[in-house]
Amino acid sequence: MPIVMSSSKLSVAIVAILISSGAALAQTAPDTENGRYALSPAGDGFLRLDTRTGAVSTCTNSSAGWACYMVPDERAALDAEIGRLQTDNDKLKGELAARAPSAKTDEALPKSDSLKKAEPKVAEGERKIEIPLPSDRDMDRMMSFVERAWRRLIEMANRVQRDVNGGKI
């Protein structure tokens, strides 16, 4: 004896089966896997955040299909650099303490004005550095050079203007 159902009853039965199978599939997945990844649109693909480990990947669709690649973790590089600098700092403090045992390396050094130039310590009787000014002869040579260069520049500009105008000024 064939079973005949109306199309509306058949639709309700199919929806009920689909809902119950979806619930069954959701129950078979471990709770730790639910919501593990968070996706955000970015450019041609997505950024994928692993909420368990904090790793970030870029996912793009190519001719071979979807592929995700790890994004370099700058935080790890920064932490490594901070650790290296702290080690170097401790080493330098130790070396400084070995040279001058009475020096306190934990105290901050006094601030100095970086724009103020330190005056050289000159004991009386020691020579001072003096920079001689150019002589009149040196100044005349320099002025002569500048005049010649200026005249050549003006002559060159005039030649270019004549060439552009076809020989007419």
Side-chain angles (χ1 to χ4, degrees):
M1 168 165 139
I3 300 175
V4 178
M5 290 182 144
S6 69
S7 64
S8 64
K9 287 183 180 179
L10 181 62
S11 298
V12 171
I14 290 174
V15 169
I17 291 171
L18 288 175
I19 290 173
S20 64
S21 65
L25 285 175
Q27 289 175 353
T28 60
D31 289 338
T32 58
E33 295 298 318
N34 291 337
R36 177 173 177 180
Y37 297 105
L39 297 174
S40 298
D44 296 338
F46 293 92
L47 282 178
R48 180 182 74 176
L49 170 66
D50 186 342
T51 58
R52 186 183 309 161
T53 64
V56 178
S57 304
T58 56
C59 301
T60 55
N61 189 10
S62 65
S63 60
W66 282 93
C68 295
Y69 298 98
M70 294 292 294
V71 174
D73 189 8
E74 291 182 15
R75 178 63 187 203
L78 289 174
D79 288 342
E81 182 66 8
I82 289 170
R84 185 189 67 79
L85 290 172
Q86 286 174 337
T87 303
D88 286 354
N89 191 13
D90 292 340
K91 179 182 169 188
L92 291 172
K93 281 183 178 180
E95 289 176 6
L96 183 61
R99 288 184 184 169
S102 62
K104 295 180 181 177
T105 58
D106 291 335
E107 292 182 10
L109 295 174
K111 290 186 179 181
S112 62
D113 187 2
S114 62
L115 298 177
K116 181 179 176 184
K117 293 188 177 186
E119 296 182 18
K121 296 178 183 177
V122 178
E124 290 188 36
E126 287 189 28
R127 62 186 167 101
K128 293 182 181 178
I129 298 174
E130 292 183 16
I131 301 173
L133 295 175
S135 66
D136 288 339
R137 182 175 177 231
D138 292 336
M139 289 298 293
D140 290 339
R141 287 178 58 208
M142 192 252 331
M143 289 302 292
S144 175
F145 171 78
V146 170
E147 285 177 30
R148 284 192 314 264
W150 181 254
R151 285 188 187 125
R152 290 174 93 182
L153 180 65
I154 296 299
E155 289 172 10
M156 191 180 347
N158 287 335
R159 279 194 307 263
V160 169
Q161 189 173 11
R162 274 191 301 247
D163 291 345
V164 170
N165 292 334
K168 300 176 189 174
I169 295 184

